[in-house]
Amino acid sequence: RTKWDPTMKAATSKQEEIDECLFAASQGDVQMLTLMHSSGTDLHQGDYDQRTALHLAAAEGHLAVVKMLLSKLPAGREGEVVSAYDRWHGTPLDDANDNGWDEIASLLKKRGAKGGTRTVNVSSEG
C-alpha cells in the first residue's frame, strides 16, 4: 500500500491553479479570471517559464484581460508585476510590442511597464 503524500497534492493543485489561470488569460476569459481572483488565486504568479497571465494576455491581444489584471495588481508589487521577466528576460510589454498590440503596449506603459532584454521571439503558443 502506498502512503499519501500531502505535499504532492498541494504542489499539483498549485500547478493546476497556475495552468488554469494562464489558460484563461490566453483565451481572453475575464469571467474565469474574476472567479479565480475572488476565490483567492494569485493572478500574477508565473509558470515554470516565469510567464504570467499578463504575459499571455498581452501576447494574445486580450485587452479586457489586461485591463482586469492591471486592476488587480497587488499593493507594493505593481512595478514587479507589470514588468515581470519571463525565462527569456521578456516582459508583458515585449509580448504586446512583438505582436503589434499597440493599445495594450500603451496601457502597460501608462502603468509603468518596462521592456526586457529578450533576444528571441517567444510564441504565446508555448
Side-chain angles (χ1 to χ4, degrees), residues 8 23 36 44 47 77 88 92 98:
M8 195 63 174
F23 181 75
M36 292 182 78
H44 303 289
D47 67 1
R77 289 183 46 213
W88 301 276
D98 289 350

Side-chain angles (χ1 to χ4, degrees), residues 8-19:
M8 195 63 174
K9 175 74 175 140
T12 302
S13 295
K14 188 67 162 173
Q15 187 58 55
E16 288 170 356
E17 178 183 83
I18 293 169
D19 291 346

